[in-house]
Amino acid sequence: MTLYDAIGLAGTALILGTYALTVAGRVDAKQPAALLGNFLAASLILVSLAHDFNLSAAIVESAWALIAGIGLMRVVLKR
C-alpha cells in the first residue's frame, strides 16, 4: 500500500462515516461538522487520485468538495 492509497482510504472512511452519522440523525448535514467532514474526505480522495487518476471519480469528488465548500462558506458568511 502506498501513501496515496492510505490517504484515499482515510478519505473514504471519513466520507462514509460522515454520511452514516448524517443518515442516523447524529449530525445535521447543514452544520459545519458534516460539511467539513465531506470537504476533507473528498479532498483526501482527490489527493489519492493524483497518483492513480480516474476521471469519473475525480469528477464526483471534485463536485462533492465544491458543494461542501460552498456550504461551509455559507455558514461562515452567516456568522
Side-chain angles (χ1 to χ4, degrees):
M1 177 184 318
T2 69
L3 176 60
Y4 289 101
D5 291 332
I7 291 169
L9 288 173
T12 299
L14 183 56
I15 212 162
L16 290 174
T18 301
Y19 182 67
L21 290 171
T22 302
V23 169
R26 309 222 349 134
V27 175
D28 182 351
K30 293 182 181 180
Q31 294 303 312
L35 294 167
L36 186 59
N38 281 316
F39 180 79
L40 291 176
S43 297
L44 289 171
I45 294 169
L46 282 168
V47 168
S48 75
L49 288 171
H51 180 260
D52 192 9
F53 189 74
N54 177 308
L55 180 60
S56 298
I59 291 170
V60 168
E61 297 309 327
S62 296
W64 202 278
L66 179 64
I67 292 166
I70 290 169
L72 280 169
M73 290 302 295
R74 291 182 70 191
V75 168
V76 169
L77 293 175
K78 281 186 180 180
R79 291 184 177 184

